[in-house]
Amino acid sequence: MADLAPTSVLNDSISNPSSSDTRQIFGSNLKSGKVQPTQLRLLTTSERCLQYKITTTCNLRIGPKSNCPGLTVKASRESLGITEQHKNNKLERVAETDDRSELFEDMKQRFVDFKKHKYMENLEHYQNLAKCQAPKFMVISCADSRVCPSTILGFQPGEAFVVRNIANLVPPFESGPSETNAALEFSVNFLKIENILVVGHSCCGGIRALMGMDDEVDKSFIQNWVVVGKDARSWTKAAASKLSFDQQCKHCEKESINRSLLNLLTYPWIEEKVKKGVLAVHGGYYDFVECTFEKWTLDYKEDNLKEKHGRISVKNHLFWS
């Protein structure tokens, strides 16, 4: 948008219209008194970040000897340094665009390979998936880029309904709606999945944020989310208070999984199915430093769950390395 400077009225005499630094635009013959010249200063910013100063001087002369040269314009171009800066920025943007193009070219090749070697070779399977899905697992894992459940556990398309969030947390039923419990509702009540697997992992930034958060400061989006694991944090502080902060975080990474398994049972329609034995809830822990995986299953005991701070009871505890 142009910035329009205030119009000013000059008190000095009319400038010579034949001056060499001006160019005549148009003129007219008027029969009124002498009008003082008016100066208008207009500033605009173009896409190239150049500033132009346009000064227009309107000279009106009245009388038989008047040639009425009329409106004259002077323009000056400024801030050439900004031009050079813009050119450099443009070159940088071009380089960034080239890098992104290479990334997507690589992605395109991977998609083409998938279509050729997996989709087309298993066409009937993928055509059936297009009609419906019937996964056996609902997986809740961390959004960490190093923890892809399909890669780690070999899930193929159609085998697992997956939701990922910071620190693979399950909020309790009373916390209200979120994308995680919406996915739970859909997978349990509509897809009729038989297993819920909560997968935690080593070096989790979300758990580290949970363990290091200050209750007295204003919370960020991350803190407002990871506070879902406050019970795991409390258990860790009580059980591992003498350990280093890093060791406490590792302890909490596993404890938060167990707290999430208990939170799953706060959903009436999940607890009902677990109690009937048609749905099982499992915990998993992936250590990507050592490349090991632990798996365990919640041993549902209604009496233990009625205790205010009942510890989780597990079965089928396995360790894969």
Side-chain angles (χ1 to χ4, degrees), residues 293-297 315-320:
F293 194 91
E294 289 183 67
K295 173 266 173 188
W296 59 94
T297 301
K315 60 184 179 181
N316 301 329
H317 195 164
L318 304 175
F319 185 84
W320 306 329

Side-chain angles (χ1 to χ4, degrees), residues 33-76:
K34 178 180 179 182
V35 179
Q36 293 290 352
T38 300
Q39 189 178 68
L40 178 66
R41 190 168 180 267
L42 183 66
L43 296 180
T44 64
T45 304
S46 71
E47 293 180 355
R48 296 184 178 181
C49 302
L50 296 177
Q51 287 185 329
Y52 291 90
K53 182 176 67 178
I54 302 176
T55 304
T56 63
T57 304
C58 181
N59 298 309
L60 302 178
R61 290 191 176 185
I62 309 302
K65 295 182 179 180
S66 173
N67 294 324
C68 290
L71 182 66
T72 59
V73 176
K74 293 187 296 182
S76 63

Side-chain angles (χ1 to χ4, degrees), residues 138-204:
M138 194 273 188
V139 179
I140 300 171
S141 68
C142 187
D144 193 302
S145 63
R146 300 165 292 184
V147 187
C148 176
S150 294
T151 299
I152 299 165
L153 301 174
F155 288 118
Q156 298 302 309
E159 291 184 344
F161 188 84
V162 181
V163 62
R164 302 178 68 173
N165 63 45
I166 298 297
N168 45 269
L169 296 172
V170 177
F173 180 77
E174 60 270 17
S175 293
S178 71
E179 73 282 357
T180 298
N181 48 37
L184 282 168
E185 182 179 45
F186 181 75
S187 62
V188 172
N189 292 336
F190 295 93
L191 296 181
K192 309 297 183 182
I193 54 97
E194 300 173 3
N195 300 275
I196 300 175
L197 173 62
V198 181
V199 180
H201 68 94
S202 58
C203 307
C204 182

Side-chain angles (χ1 to χ4, degrees), residues 267-279:
Y267 295 81
W269 28 273
I270 290 180
E271 184 181 15
E272 179 185 1
K273 289 178 173 57
V274 171
K275 187 176 181 179
K276 290 180 178 179
V278 295
L279 175 64

Side-chain angles (χ1 to χ4, degrees), residues 208-236:
R208 196 172 186 87
L210 170 66
M211 292 298 296
M213 66 185 293
D214 188 343
D215 295 332
E216 302 300 323
V217 301
D218 293 336
K219 292 181 175 62
S220 65
F221 288 137
I222 294 174
Q223 290 174 322
N224 277 320
W225 169 252
V226 298
V227 74
V228 168
K230 62 183 179 180
D231 288 344
R233 181 191 182 200
S234 298
W235 275 100
T236 299

